[in-house]
Amino acid sequence: MADHSITRYLADQHGDADPAETAEWRDAFLALVAAEGPVRARFMLDQLATLARDPHVGWSPELVTPYVNTVPVEKQPVFPGDLAIEEKLASLMRWNALAMVVRANTAYGELGGHIASYASAADLFEVGFNHFFRARSAEQGDLVFFQPHSAPGVYARAFLEGRLSENDLAHYRQEIGAPAQDARGLSSYPHPWLMPDFWQFPTGSMGIGPISSIYHARFMRYLTHRNVLDCEGRKVWGVFGDGEMDEPESMSALTLASREKLDNLVWVVNCNLQRLDGPVRGNGRIVDELEKLFRGAGWNVIKLLWGSDWDGLFARDTTNALVQAFAHTVDGQMQTFAAKDGRFNRDNFFGQNEALARLAQGMTDEQIDRLKRGGHDLVKIHAAYDAAAKHRGQPTVILAHTKKGYGMGSAGQGRMTTHSQKKLDESALLEFRNRFNLPITDEQAKDLAFFRPAEDSAEMRYLHARREALGGYVPQRQTQCEVVPVPDAASYAQFALQAAGKEMSTTMAFVRLLGTLLKDPQLGPRIVPIVADEARTFGMANLFKQVGIYSSAGQSYEPEDIGSVLSYREALDGQILEEGISEAGAIASWTAAATSYSVHGVAMLPFYIYYSMFGFQRVGDAIWAAADQRARGFLLGATSGRTTLGGEGLQHQDGSSHLVAATIPNCKAYDPAFAGEMAVIVDQGMREMLVEQRDVFYYVTLMNENYAQPDLPEGAREGVIRGAYRFARYGDETARQRVTLLGSGAILTEVVKAAQQLAADGIPVDVVSVTSWSELAREGVECERAALEGGEARTPYIAQVLAGNGPVIAASDYVRAVPETIRAYVPQGRRYLTLGTDGFGRSDTRAALRAFFGVDAASVVKAASFALSSRA
């Protein structure tokens, strides 16, 4: 559409009191563009905009542009590929994806799957695969986040590439039964845990992919600026759905991307106008809404709306009839146009007025039906991707207009039910075959036969050549990285291991330990300290000067506390990632660092410290996604427990994070009471993740309460790691029946006080420090499983620790369900009572809170006395 047509349209839309004067301004501006070029034109517009922002004028620019392509025909680059072959390949991908889903549901109706999303996005994917998505090689290559519901299309491409077999495709969503059939089960969505050599990023929980892609792009800049790894020239591509943009995580970090000038980031939003049940914005236009949102957030916006067939119509449209019609067509109506045939569109779209009717003259109903939206035209898609890849200074979003269920005809195209469409009858299959001119017979179509051209065919040679030119196949997950040496614990944690009764909190002990680790010449540069916005709260201000806070802009101001030893310092090579008040952003940064070993081939070690209540409860979905991505790193839940953060009250007091952490298979959760225990856990975690390179991550809770820190007992290391060890004995050493008190974290000090009181009353007591309830429970489950499967009978470790007689009392600062997880492994005959902090938190002193919840020393003594009485 010509520039002068757009300006006339805008003038018509807003009313014009003096058309002659408007024409003079318009002609003057067009003359400036013609004579001086777009750079000068933009400068003049900026000058006028500055004047117009005067309060007396009260003007600000409209963020929504006309409903046309951003890249005009005259600026489209020459399409670099073989268009005919690429269209044929895209059609084959569509067919094999459809056949895979329909076959699975024909055989097993419960398996589910999606056809329509990939049908709309297939061309968006294929242009990326053929021309833009570079594989990782020599520590280079792009990161690609795939729309989860389009996973069948990625499998279909991998089948043509020879990376998946026909048998594999026949076992879509059958991961358990597939190996018995000598096949690979294909996961429902991108899952690195389930397909560890294939998928790189989990995106199945919608909204997680978009925010993760932003922080991965920013982490690449972080690696470059800190001279860890040169990531210049690499891109992060994300293909997401328009309905997915409703998720708060999708939108929450847009301004970070623009503030950081992440021009290595490109989003492609597949605007097929439909969510799961119906239109995304039935009474509005989602493309307009997203354009306004992204432009306002500082992104470069490229609208990819209409295919090449429309170019001639726009060229003939001298009265702006098309643009005006689009401006008044809401998405609900656009969806109806997608679902209907050419005759309907002739009557109901082009039949709206004479100008539109004249444009459609000479076109058959079939030609009208075949008019493509921009997201289905390879040439237009390439032009948009090319413009996005070359743009500098901003992240780019491509708003691609497509039809959901494209090509599914009456069986699903644009229909309300299309998202859940999993079965097609024979006529629908033949219609699909004909629509894309597939080289398969009627019988093959009805039988849902997979189709792969001969290896020496032009299509297959082209397919492999394009991927070879881009460095290999994607998606593909790699795990090779060098071992990072971990220093001996005595070199950085001796103060904690031999604390000699010094008073400190485990939070302060951790910060001191971290500060020393950062100085290690080999490990130090690989550490990524992360906070949401509580560095000073956690005593980390001393790290500001030591390693600095990462800022892509450096520090262009003089902080007011510049004379302080704890002054705030930002730097281009800063090491701390301080993410502001955004736990979702901080966990996304942690995930980017924790998976760097796989994404970039460079192992990094992130330590993310936060209020424990704001972890698993607030961003548990993102933590689960990190687990799926096989993250390696530390999550530190500070001010943990329900009674340690006395004055803050209900929403800050954590009583459940260890319960949730226990549900994540590769998360090792620990609740150490003492600095020495914490040091052993951190040391073990570093060795497990950096040296042994195991795909686990650690959750360690820390307290802000100062109390005397004992030396770590000799020989306790194994017990600390396994989950429990005997901390002390009180009273008669020879007594056969003893009370055993289990305690963890903040409540262990109360348990010790209770033990001392019981011993003073003549009752012998053993105190066991439980460092991990979940590790004890998991080991017990494994022993049970081995026995059930006829393996070697083993006594659970906690049962060995609790061997003896007498009651067992367990107390923690968490809900009772946490210590209840080991009940099955307490030796028979020993009465087991659990104390916890069930219910809502509240504000008061620690002493009052512990008495209220029944986890203080007096409550432990009371429970022990009850267990010893005849009433128990």
Side-chain angles (χ1 to χ4, degrees), residues 144-335:
V144 185
F145 289 75
F146 293 98
Q147 185 181 20
H149 290 120
S150 294
V154 182
Y155 295 141
R157 168 168 265 270
F159 167 62
L160 289 195
E161 292 168 340
R163 298 198 293 148
L164 294 177
S165 70
E166 183 172 325
N167 198 20
D168 295 332
L169 264 59
H171 287 85
Y172 171 61
R173 292 193 171 194
Q174 299 164 64
E175 297 160 80
I176 297 172
Q181 303 299 319
D182 196 26
R184 176 174 195 169
L186 305 183
S187 61
S188 55
Y189 303 120
H191 287 304
W193 190 267
L194 300 174
M195 298 181 68
D197 62 342
F198 192 87
W199 293 114
Q200 182 73 70
F201 303 107
T203 54
S205 182
M206 290 195 288
I208 297 299
I211 191 172
S212 183
S213 71
I214 291 174
Y215 281 88
H216 270 282
R218 202 277 294 268
F219 190 71
M220 288 164 66
R221 290 286 170 83
Y222 172 89
L223 291 173
T224 300
H225 289 155
R226 288 195 52 230
N227 296 313
V228 176
L229 179 70
D230 183 5
C231 296
E232 287 298 324
R234 299 172 64 189
K235 292 284 186 184
V236 177
W237 296 83
V239 182
F240 308 117
D242 49 356
E244 188 175 3
M245 294 301 107
D246 283 343
E247 288 284 3
E249 292 87 355
S250 297
M251 299 286 101
S252 64
L254 295 186
T255 53
L256 177 132
S258 59
R259 185 170 68 247
E260 298 286 310
K261 298 180 173 60
L262 297 180
D263 52 17
N264 61 341
L265 175 67
V266 179
W267 280 12
V268 181
V269 180
N270 177 20
C271 297
N272 59 33
L273 313 186
Q274 192 169 331
R275 288 185 297 215
L276 277 63
D277 293 331
V280 177
R281 293 291 183 272
N283 296 304
R285 286 198 301 277
I286 188 61
V287 169
D288 289 352
E289 180 180 320
L290 293 178
E291 180 183 21
K292 183 181 294 186
L293 185 65
F294 280 93
R295 284 194 191 281
W299 285 53
N300 174 45
V301 178
I302 296 175
K303 291 161 80 169
L304 171 61
L305 306 179
W306 308 110
S308 301
D309 293 341
W310 289 86
D311 290 341
L313 295 175
F314 279 120
R316 300 201 308 272
D317 183 18
T318 58
T319 63
N320 310 303
L322 279 174
V323 178
Q324 292 184 48
F326 293 146
H328 295 95
T329 304
V330 296
D331 283 354
Q333 188 62 42
M334 197 73 77
Q335 182 192 17

Side-chain angles (χ1 to χ4, degrees), residues 676-687:
E677 296 173 351
M678 179 273 297
V680 166
I681 292 164
V682 171
D683 183 70
Q684 174 67 17
M686 291 192 298
R687 296 181 188 284

